[in-house]
Amino acid sequence: MQLPSELLHPLAGLRLLARGDARGLSSFDISDDGVIRSFRAALFCLPAFLVYAILRRIEFLQILPDLGRPHLVFIFQVLVIEASTWCFTIIFLTLAGFVLGLRPLIRPLIVMLNWASVPFVYAVGVVLYPVLMLLDDRSTLQWMAATLLLLAVFIGALVLTWRILHTVIGGPKWRRTTFLLLTVVPPLWMIRTLEHAMGLTVAHG
C-alpha cells in the first residue's frame, strides 16, 4: 500500500538522519502550522491503537473475568493511556530541551517524535504484541524466543533513536544520554502508575 506523502516525506527524513545525513532535517516543517500538523500522526496511529487496545482486553480477560467493566470502557481506557503516553513524552522532551540548552531544537524534535511514532506504534502494537501474546505461557523455548524478540526490538529502537539524536543534537554523549533518559523514563513511570490506578494491569497467576 502506498503511504501518503504527508507521512512518507518525514519518514524519509528520519532515515537520512539515522544515516548521519543532516539534510534529513529539511524534511520536517517546523513552522507553527508544521508542528501542529505533525500531530496528525496520531490519526495514522489510531487503527494500530485500536488493535492494541482490543488485544489488551483479550489478554486481560484470559487472566481475570473483569465482569463489572464493559469492553468499550476498557478499550477507551487503553486509548487514554496511549494518548497520555504521547502527551507526557512531548512534555518531558520539551523540559529536557530547556534543561540541556537545546531550546532551538525543541520544535524539530517534537515534529520528528510525532512522525516517528507511526512506524513504532504499528511495529509494537500490530506486529510485536500479537506475537508476544501467541508465545505467552508456552514452552521455555518459545518464552526465550519472545524475550529475544522483545529485546531485539528494544535495542533496534534505541540504536535508531541514538543515531538520530547524534545527527540532530551532536555534542558530548552525556547530553544525548541525559536527553534520552529525561524523555523516556519519567513518562514510562507515570504511565505505569496510571495503568495500575485504572486497573489495566494484573499479575499472571
mmCIF file of all heavy atoms in Angstrom, residues 17-57:
data_model
loop_
_atom_site.group_PDB
_atom_site.id
_atom_site.type_symbol
_atom_site.label_atom_id
_atom_site.label_comp_id
_atom_site.label_asym_id
_atom_site.label_seq_id
_atom_site.Cartn_x
_atom_site.Cartn_y
_atom_site.Cartn_z
ATOM 1 N N LEU A 17 18.551 11.007 8.670
ATOM 2 C CA LEU A 17 19.156 11.377 9.951
ATOM 3 C C LEU A 17 19.788 10.174 10.640
ATOM 4 O O LEU A 17 20.858 10.280 11.247
ATOM 5 C CB LEU A 17 18.093 11.999 10.863
ATOM 6 C CG LEU A 17 17.547 13.360 10.421
ATOM 7 C CD1 LEU A 17 16.392 13.785 11.313
ATOM 8 C CD2 LEU A 17 18.642 14.420 10.438
ATOM 9 N N ALA A 18 19.130 9.013 10.546
ATOM 10 C CA ALA A 18 19.690 7.796 11.139
ATOM 11 C C ALA A 18 20.987 7.390 10.461
ATOM 12 O O ALA A 18 21.832 6.726 11.071
ATOM 13 C CB ALA A 18 18.665 6.662 11.052
ATOM 14 N N ARG A 19 21.141 7.806 9.192
ATOM 15 C CA ARG A 19 22.379 7.523 8.460
ATOM 16 C C ARG A 19 23.451 8.570 8.701
ATOM 17 O O ARG A 19 24.536 8.501 8.143
ATOM 18 C CB ARG A 19 22.082 7.445 6.962
ATOM 19 C CG ARG A 19 21.278 6.224 6.544
ATOM 20 C CD ARG A 19 21.035 6.255 5.051
ATOM 21 N NE ARG A 19 20.440 5.009 4.568
ATOM 22 C CZ ARG A 19 20.154 4.773 3.297
ATOM 23 N NH1 ARG A 19 20.394 5.704 2.381
ATOM 24 N NH2 ARG A 19 19.625 3.620 2.941
ATOM 25 N N GLY A 20 23.120 9.579 9.517
ATOM 26 C CA GLY A 20 24.091 10.621 9.796
ATOM 27 C C GLY A 20 24.056 11.778 8.824
ATOM 28 O O GLY A 20 24.964 12.617 8.820
ATOM 29 N N ASP A 21 23.020 11.857 8.003
ATOM 30 C CA ASP A 21 22.896 12.904 6.998
ATOM 31 C C ASP A 21 21.972 13.997 7.524
ATOM 32 O O ASP A 21 20.754 13.811 7.614
ATOM 33 C CB ASP A 21 22.334 12.310 5.702
ATOM 34 C CG ASP A 21 22.420 13.279 4.535
ATOM 35 O OD1 ASP A 21 22.554 14.492 4.777
ATOM 36 O OD2 ASP A 21 22.346 12.818 3.378
ATOM 37 N N ALA A 22 22.552 15.149 7.865
ATOM 38 C CA ALA A 22 21.775 16.246 8.439
ATOM 39 C C ALA A 22 20.787 16.854 7.452
ATOM 40 O O ALA A 22 19.906 17.631 7.857
ATOM 41 C CB ALA A 22 22.707 17.332 8.960
ATOM 42 N N ARG A 23 20.917 16.521 6.162
ATOM 43 C CA ARG A 23 19.951 17.032 5.184
ATOM 44 C C ARG A 23 18.545 16.511 5.462
ATOM 45 O O ARG A 23 17.560 17.069 4.975
ATOM 46 C CB ARG A 23 20.378 16.648 3.767
ATOM 47 C CG ARG A 23 21.611 17.378 3.267
ATOM 48 C CD ARG A 23 22.033 16.898 1.897
ATOM 49 N NE ARG A 23 22.393 15.480 1.912
ATOM 50 C CZ ARG A 23 22.760 14.795 0.826
ATOM 51 N NH1 ARG A 23 22.795 15.397 -0.358
ATOM 52 N NH2 ARG A 23 23.084 13.520 0.930
ATOM 53 N N GLY A 24 18.441 15.457 6.264
ATOM 54 C CA GLY A 24 17.134 14.941 6.628
ATOM 55 C C GLY A 24 16.296 15.941 7.402
ATOM 56 O O GLY A 24 15.066 15.856 7.415
ATOM 57 N N LEU A 25 16.953 16.935 8.020
ATOM 58 C CA LEU A 25 16.217 17.951 8.767
ATOM 59 C C LEU A 25 15.294 18.765 7.864
ATOM 60 O O LEU A 25 14.271 19.282 8.318
ATOM 61 C CB LEU A 25 17.190 18.891 9.477
ATOM 62 C CG LEU A 25 17.922 18.314 10.699
ATOM 63 C CD1 LEU A 25 19.061 19.226 11.122
ATOM 64 C CD2 LEU A 25 16.946 18.114 11.847
ATOM 65 N N SER A 26 15.657 18.875 6.592
ATOM 66 C CA SER A 26 14.846 19.660 5.656
ATOM 67 C C SER A 26 13.507 18.988 5.365
ATOM 68 O O SER A 26 12.621 19.605 4.765
ATOM 69 C CB SER A 26 15.609 19.885 4.350
ATOM 70 O OG SER A 26 15.873 18.648 3.693
ATOM 71 N N SER A 27 13.334 17.755 5.772
ATOM 72 C CA SER A 27 12.083 17.032 5.530
ATOM 73 C C SER A 27 11.000 17.384 6.543
ATOM 74 O O SER A 27 9.871 16.921 6.412
ATOM 75 C CB SER A 27 12.336 15.513 5.577
ATOM 76 O OG SER A 27 13.244 15.121 4.573
ATOM 77 N N PHE A 28 11.353 18.186 7.546
ATOM 78 C CA PHE A 28 10.414 18.481 8.619
ATOM 79 C C PHE A 28 10.030 19.951 8.616
ATOM 80 O O PHE A 28 10.898 20.830 8.612
ATOM 81 C CB PHE A 28 11.018 18.092 9.974
ATOM 82 C CG PHE A 28 11.412 16.648 10.054
ATOM 83 C CD1 PHE A 28 12.717 16.266 9.797
ATOM 84 C CD2 PHE A 28 10.476 15.672 10.356
ATOM 85 C CE1 PHE A 28 13.084 14.933 9.853
ATOM 86 C CE2 PHE A 28 10.836 14.341 10.420
ATOM 87 C CZ PHE A 28 12.140 13.967 10.162
ATOM 88 N N ASP A 29 8.746 20.183 8.621
ATOM 89 C CA ASP A 29 8.204 21.539 8.679
ATOM 90 C C ASP A 29 8.093 21.947 10.145
ATOM 91 O O ASP A 29 7.281 21.396 10.888
ATOM 92 C CB ASP A 29 6.827 21.571 8.008
ATOM 93 C CG ASP A 29 6.224 22.969 7.977
ATOM 94 O OD1 ASP A 29 6.846 23.904 8.522
ATOM 95 O OD2 ASP A 29 5.127 23.126 7.400
ATOM 96 N N ILE A 30 8.923 22.905 10.573
ATOM 97 C CA ILE A 30 8.933 23.297 11.981
ATOM 98 C C ILE A 30 8.274 24.661 12.192
ATOM 99 O O ILE A 30 8.476 25.295 13.231
ATOM 100 C CB ILE A 30 10.363 23.295 12.551
ATOM 101 C CG1 ILE A 30 11.256 24.268 11.797
ATOM 102 C CG2 ILE A 30 10.946 21.900 12.525
ATOM 103 C CD1 ILE A 30 12.630 24.447 12.439
ATOM 104 N N SER A 31 7.495 25.087 11.207
ATOM 105 C CA SER A 31 6.691 26.288 11.410
ATOM 106 C C SER A 31 5.573 25.980 12.395
ATOM 107 O O SER A 31 5.372 24.819 12.786
ATOM 108 C CB SER A 31 6.099 26.760 10.080
ATOM 109 O OG SER A 31 5.182 25.796 9.586
ATOM 110 N N ASP A 32 4.840 27.007 12.804
ATOM 111 C CA ASP A 32 3.718 26.777 13.722
ATOM 112 C C ASP A 32 2.735 25.774 13.129
ATOM 113 O O ASP A 32 2.289 24.840 13.811
ATOM 114 C CB ASP A 32 2.989 28.093 14.019
ATOM 115 C CG ASP A 32 3.823 29.034 14.883
ATOM 116 O OD1 ASP A 32 4.777 28.546 15.517
ATOM 117 O OD2 ASP A 32 3.516 30.237 14.910
ATOM 118 N N ASP A 33 2.395 25.974 11.850
ATOM 119 C CA ASP A 33 1.467 25.062 11.178
ATOM 120 C C ASP A 33 2.065 23.661 11.061
ATOM 121 O O ASP A 33 1.355 22.661 11.211
ATOM 122 C CB ASP A 33 1.109 25.581 9.787
ATOM 123 C CG ASP A 33 0.202 26.803 9.845
ATOM 124 O OD1 ASP A 33 -0.420 27.020 10.899
ATOM 125 O OD2 ASP A 33 0.130 27.534 8.844
ATOM 126 N N GLY A 34 3.373 23.598 10.807
ATOM 127 C CA GLY A 34 4.023 22.304 10.650
ATOM 128 C C GLY A 34 4.041 21.502 11.933
ATOM 129 O O GLY A 34 3.822 20.287 11.922
ATOM 130 N N VAL A 35 4.297 22.181 13.063
ATOM 131 C CA VAL A 35 4.298 21.494 14.351
ATOM 132 C C VAL A 35 2.903 20.975 14.679
ATOM 133 O O VAL A 35 2.729 19.816 15.088
ATOM 134 C CB VAL A 35 4.794 22.437 15.470
ATOM 135 C CG1 VAL A 35 4.638 21.765 16.833
ATOM 136 C CG2 VAL A 35 6.242 22.831 15.235
ATOM 137 N N ILE A 36 1.895 21.838 14.467
ATOM 138 C CA ILE A 36 0.514 21.415 14.735
ATOM 139 C C ILE A 36 0.108 20.275 13.814
ATOM 140 O O ILE A 36 -0.513 19.288 14.239
ATOM 141 C CB ILE A 36 -0.444 22.612 14.566
ATOM 142 C CG1 ILE A 36 -0.171 23.657 15.646
ATOM 143 C CG2 ILE A 36 -1.902 22.147 14.638
ATOM 144 C CD1 ILE A 36 -0.925 24.943 15.461
ATOM 145 N N ARG A 37 0.493 20.374 12.542
ATOM 146 C CA ARG A 37 0.123 19.343 11.570
ATOM 147 C C ARG A 37 0.786 18.009 11.874
ATOM 148 O O ARG A 37 0.243 16.948 11.555
ATOM 149 C CB ARG A 37 0.479 19.813 10.163
ATOM 150 C CG ARG A 37 -0.130 18.989 9.047
ATOM 151 C CD ARG A 37 -0.064 19.694 7.703
ATOM 152 N NE ARG A 37 1.269 20.191 7.405
ATOM 153 C CZ ARG A 37 1.588 21.495 7.349
ATOM 154 N NH1 ARG A 37 0.663 22.400 7.595
ATOM 155 N NH2 ARG A 37 2.822 21.874 7.058
ATOM 156 N N SER A 38 1.950 18.048 12.519
ATOM 157 C CA SER A 38 2.647 16.790 12.828
ATOM 158 C C SER A 38 1.858 15.927 13.805
ATOM 159 O O SER A 38 2.049 14.711 13.858
ATOM 160 C CB SER A 38 4.043 17.084 13.391
ATOM 161 O OG SER A 38 3.978 17.626 14.705
ATOM 162 N N PHE A 39 0.956 16.540 14.565
ATOM 163 C CA PHE A 39 0.134 15.764 15.484
ATOM 164 C C PHE A 39 -0.939 14.958 14.755
ATOM 165 O O PHE A 39 -1.613 14.126 15.366
ATOM 166 C CB PHE A 39 -0.502 16.674 16.532
ATOM 167 C CG PHE A 39 0.470 17.129 17.590
ATOM 168 C CD1 PHE A 39 1.178 18.312 17.435
ATOM 169 C CD2 PHE A 39 0.696 16.360 18.722
ATOM 170 C CE1 PHE A 39 2.090 18.727 18.402
ATOM 171 C CE2 PHE A 39 1.599 16.761 19.691
ATOM 172 C CZ PHE A 39 2.302 17.958 19.530
ATOM 173 N N ARG A 40 -1.062 15.186 13.431
ATOM 174 C CA ARG A 40 -1.937 14.333 12.629
ATOM 175 C C ARG A 40 -1.412 12.906 12.578
ATOM 176 O O ARG A 40 -2.128 11.988 12.195
ATOM 177 C CB ARG A 40 -2.058 14.884 11.204
ATOM 178 C CG ARG A 40 -3.005 16.064 11.069
ATOM 179 C CD ARG A 40 -2.910 16.703 9.696
ATOM 180 N NE ARG A 40 -3.019 15.739 8.627
ATOM 181 C CZ ARG A 40 -4.172 15.325 8.086
ATOM 182 N NH1 ARG A 40 -5.325 15.810 8.546
ATOM 183 N NH2 ARG A 40 -4.180 14.462 7.097
ATOM 184 N N ALA A 41 -0.157 12.731 12.995
ATOM 185 C CA ALA A 41 0.406 11.381 13.066
ATOM 186 C C ALA A 41 -0.445 10.486 13.950
ATOM 187 O O ALA A 41 -0.524 9.270 13.741
ATOM 188 C CB ALA A 41 1.839 11.443 13.589
ATOM 189 N N ALA A 42 -1.100 11.083 14.950
ATOM 190 C CA ALA A 42 -1.960 10.299 15.847
ATOM 191 C C ALA A 42 -3.112 9.659 15.083
ATOM 192 O O ALA A 42 -3.558 8.554 15.427
ATOM 193 C CB ALA A 42 -2.496 11.180 16.969
ATOM 194 N N LEU A 43 -3.605 10.332 14.034
ATOM 195 C CA LEU A 43 -4.685 9.764 13.221
ATOM 196 C C LEU A 43 -4.205 8.538 12.467
ATOM 197 O O LEU A 43 -4.937 7.554 12.326
ATOM 198 C CB LEU A 43 -5.226 10.811 12.244
ATOM 199 C CG LEU A 43 -5.884 12.038 12.880
ATOM 200 C CD1 LEU A 43 -6.333 13.020 11.789
ATOM 201 C CD2 LEU A 43 -7.065 11.620 13.743
ATOM 202 N N PHE A 44 -2.964 8.589 11.973
ATOM 203 C CA PHE A 44 -2.397 7.421 11.299
ATOM 204 C C PHE A 44 -2.215 6.260 12.275
ATOM 205 O O PHE A 44 -2.301 5.088 11.894
ATOM 206 C CB PHE A 44 -1.045 7.766 10.661
ATOM 207 C CG PHE A 44 -1.121 8.675 9.476
ATOM 208 C CD1 PHE A 44 -0.836 10.019 9.585
ATOM 209 C CD2 PHE A 44 -1.491 8.182 8.233
ATOM 210 C CE1 PHE A 44 -0.901 10.861 8.493
ATOM 211 C CE2 PHE A 44 -1.572 9.005 7.130
ATOM 212 C CZ PHE A 44 -1.269 10.359 7.254
ATOM 213 N N CYS A 45 -1.958 6.592 13.535
ATOM 214 C CA CYS A 45 -1.722 5.557 14.551
ATOM 215 C C CYS A 45 -3.010 4.969 15.114
ATOM 216 O O CYS A 45 -2.969 3.905 15.743
ATOM 217 C CB CYS A 45 -0.903 6.137 15.711
ATOM 218 S SG CYS A 45 0.788 6.570 15.296
ATOM 219 N N LEU A 46 -4.132 5.640 14.909
ATOM 220 C CA LEU A 46 -5.382 5.228 15.552
ATOM 221 C C LEU A 46 -5.761 3.771 15.271
ATOM 222 O O LEU A 46 -6.142 3.051 16.212
ATOM 223 C CB LEU A 46 -6.519 6.166 15.141
ATOM 224 C CG LEU A 46 -7.855 5.948 15.850
ATOM 225 C CD1 LEU A 46 -7.692 6.019 17.359
ATOM 226 C CD2 LEU A 46 -8.896 6.959 15.373
ATOM 227 N N PRO A 47 -5.693 3.283 14.010
ATOM 228 C CA PRO A 47 -6.019 1.858 13.793
ATOM 229 C C PRO A 47 -5.139 0.920 14.601
ATOM 230 O O PRO A 47 -5.628 -0.066 15.160
ATOM 231 C CB PRO A 47 -5.794 1.672 12.280
ATOM 232 C CG PRO A 47 -5.969 3.033 11.699
ATOM 233 C CD PRO A 47 -5.420 3.974 12.727
ATOM 234 N N ALA A 48 -3.846 1.236 14.683
ATOM 235 C CA ALA A 48 -2.936 0.390 15.469
ATOM 236 C C ALA A 48 -3.265 0.460 16.948
ATOM 237 O O ALA A 48 -3.211 -0.550 17.653
ATOM 238 C CB ALA A 48 -1.485 0.820 15.227
ATOM 239 N N PHE A 49 -3.622 1.645 17.433
ATOM 240 C CA PHE A 49 -4.018 1.790 18.826
ATOM 241 C C PHE A 49 -5.255 0.945 19.139
ATOM 242 O O PHE A 49 -5.340 0.313 20.193
ATOM 243 C CB PHE A 49 -4.309 3.254 19.153
ATOM 244 C CG PHE A 49 -3.083 4.097 19.362
ATOM 245 C CD1 PHE A 49 -3.072 5.427 18.964
ATOM 246 C CD2 PHE A 49 -1.948 3.584 19.958
ATOM 247 C CE1 PHE A 49 -1.947 6.217 19.161
ATOM 248 C CE2 PHE A 49 -0.820 4.356 20.156
ATOM 249 C CZ PHE A 49 -0.828 5.687 19.751
ATOM 250 N N LEU A 50 -6.210 0.937 18.216
ATOM 251 C CA LEU A 50 -7.437 0.163 18.425
ATOM 252 C C LEU A 50 -7.142 -1.335 18.466
ATOM 253 O O LEU A 50 -7.660 -2.058 19.316
ATOM 254 C CB LEU A 50 -8.449 0.472 17.321
ATOM 255 C CG LEU A 50 -9.135 1.839 17.419
ATOM 256 C CD1 LEU A 50 -9.948 2.116 16.158
ATOM 257 C CD2 LEU A 50 -10.026 1.904 18.655
ATOM 258 N N VAL A 51 -6.300 -1.802 17.549
ATOM 259 C CA VAL A 51 -5.913 -3.217 17.534
ATOM 260 C C VAL A 51 -5.224 -3.574 18.846
ATOM 261 O O VAL A 51 -5.532 -4.591 19.477
ATOM 262 C CB VAL A 51 -4.986 -3.518 16.340
ATOM 263 C CG1 VAL A 51 -4.379 -4.919 16.458
ATOM 264 C CG2 VAL A 51 -5.752 -3.392 15.025
ATOM 265 N N TYR A 52 -4.309 -2.731 19.268
ATOM 266 C CA TYR A 52 -3.581 -2.970 20.513
ATOM 267 C C TYR A 52 -4.523 -2.996 21.715
ATOM 268 O O TYR A 52 -4.412 -3.868 22.597
ATOM 269 C CB TYR A 52 -2.522 -1.886 20.692
ATOM 270 C CG TYR A 52 -1.814 -1.913 22.023
ATOM 271 C CD1 TYR A 52 -0.908 -2.926 22.335
ATOM 272 C CD2 TYR A 52 -2.048 -0.928 22.978
ATOM 273 C CE1 TYR A 52 -0.257 -2.956 23.555
ATOM 274 C CE2 TYR A 52 -1.403 -0.946 24.201
ATOM 275 C CZ TYR A 52 -0.512 -1.962 24.482
ATOM 276 O OH TYR A 52 0.127 -1.992 25.695
ATOM 277 N N ALA A 53 -5.486 -2.057 21.758
ATOM 278 C CA ALA A 53 -6.428 -1.992 22.873
ATOM 279 C C ALA A 53 -7.302 -3.239 22.938
ATOM 280 O O ALA A 53 -7.570 -3.775 24.022
ATOM 281 C CB ALA A 53 -7.298 -0.743 22.746
ATOM 282 N N ILE A 54 -7.739 -3.712 21.780
ATOM 283 C CA ILE A 54 -8.560 -4.932 21.738
ATOM 284 C C ILE A 54 -7.758 -6.141 22.209
ATOM 285 O O ILE A 54 -8.246 -6.987 22.969
ATOM 286 C CB ILE A 54 -9.114 -5.147 20.317
ATOM 287 C CG1 ILE A 54 -10.131 -4.047 19.980
ATOM 288 C CG2 ILE A 54 -9.765 -6.519 20.186
ATOM 289 C CD1 ILE A 54 -10.552 -4.027 18.528
ATOM 290 N N LEU A 55 -6.508 -6.217 21.760
ATOM 291 C CA LEU A 55 -5.655 -7.328 22.183
ATOM 292 C C LEU A 55 -5.371 -7.269 23.680
ATOM 293 O O LEU A 55 -5.330 -8.311 24.350
ATOM 294 C CB LEU A 55 -4.338 -7.305 21.398
ATOM 295 C CG LEU A 55 -4.445 -7.618 19.901
ATOM 296 C CD1 LEU A 55 -3.087 -7.476 19.234
ATOM 297 C CD2 LEU A 55 -4.999 -9.023 19.681
ATOM 298 N N ARG A 56 -5.205 -6.054 24.211
ATOM 299 C CA ARG A 56 -5.016 -5.910 25.654
ATOM 300 C C ARG A 56 -6.234 -6.431 26.405
ATOM 301 O O ARG A 56 -6.110 -7.074 27.451
ATOM 302 C CB ARG A 56 -4.798 -4.436 26.010
ATOM 303 C CG ARG A 56 -3.418 -3.886 25.750
ATOM 304 C CD ARG A 56 -2.406 -4.293 26.804
ATOM 305 N NE ARG A 56 -2.750 -3.835 28.145
ATOM 306 C CZ ARG A 56 -2.369 -2.673 28.676
ATOM 307 N NH1 ARG A 56 -1.634 -1.829 27.957
ATOM 308 N NH2 ARG A 56 -2.693 -2.359 29.914
ATOM 309 N N ARG A 57 -7.427 -6.150 25.863
ATOM 310 C CA ARG A 57 -8.657 -6.622 26.501
ATOM 311 C C ARG A 57 -8.724 -8.148 26.478
ATOM 312 O O ARG A 57 -9.076 -8.787 27.481
ATOM 313 C CB ARG A 57 -9.876 -6.038 25.784
ATOM 314 C CG ARG A 57 -11.216 -6.431 26.395
ATOM 315 C CD ARG A 57 -11.291 -6.042 27.850
ATOM 316 N NE ARG A 57 -12.639 -6.211 28.410
ATOM 317 C CZ ARG A 57 -12.912 -6.142 29.702
ATOM 318 N NH1 ARG A 57 -11.955 -5.909 30.578
ATOM 319 N NH2 ARG A 57 -14.153 -6.288 30.133
#
